[in-house]
Amino acid sequence: MDVLDAIRNRRSVNRVTSKPIPKADITDLLNAAMWAPNHHFTEPWRFHVIANDERTKMSDFVADAMEREAETQGDITEAAIAKVRRALPR
């Protein structure tokens, strides 16, 4: 597949699976991502791999922050918070 086909056929998927990804695949993806062009040739790469129990901690951390914000802002629903808490499979 050439680059234009890859761009045209790319699709975002808003689902996360609990199926583990082999470490070699993650390494390959991160190595490929480092070759992506950026705006000022500064290579400001920051990658975070969240796996295992850290997935639960991450979704709980974001949901807890949303709850605190909802107390002061009032524009975040309980349904939105619950959705974030379930975002990363446990």
Side-chain angles (χ1 to χ4, degrees):
M1 175 182 300
D2 71 6
V3 173
L4 291 178
D5 284 339
I7 292 169
R8 287 186 188 117
N9 293 309
R10 174 192 122 348
R11 297 293 175 263
S12 296
V13 177
N14 196 17
R15 290 183 305 260
V16 179
T17 179
S18 59
K19 180 181 169 187
I21 299 170
K23 188 169 183 165
D25 289 352
I26 293 171
T27 300
D28 289 344
L29 290 168
L30 293 174
N31 285 331
M34 287 188 286
W35 284 94
N38 64 71
H39 61 294
H40 290 291
F41 305 107
T42 57
E43 299 182 10
W45 312 133
R46 303 288 186 274
F47 299 105
H48 302 275
V49 177
I50 302 170
N52 305 321
D53 293 341
E54 298 302 314
R55 294 161 57 114
T56 300
K57 290 179 187 177
M58 179 70 167
S59 58
D60 287 343
F61 177 82
V62 173
D64 292 346
M66 289 174 69
E67 284 177 343
R68 287 190 301 276
E69 187 173 331
E71 291 172 6
T72 59
Q73 304 274 334
D75 59 346
I76 299 173
T77 66
E78 287 295 323
I81 295 168
K83 183 178 179 180
V84 168
R85 206 171 287 283
R86 294 187 313 268
L88 298 175
R90 295 161 189 265

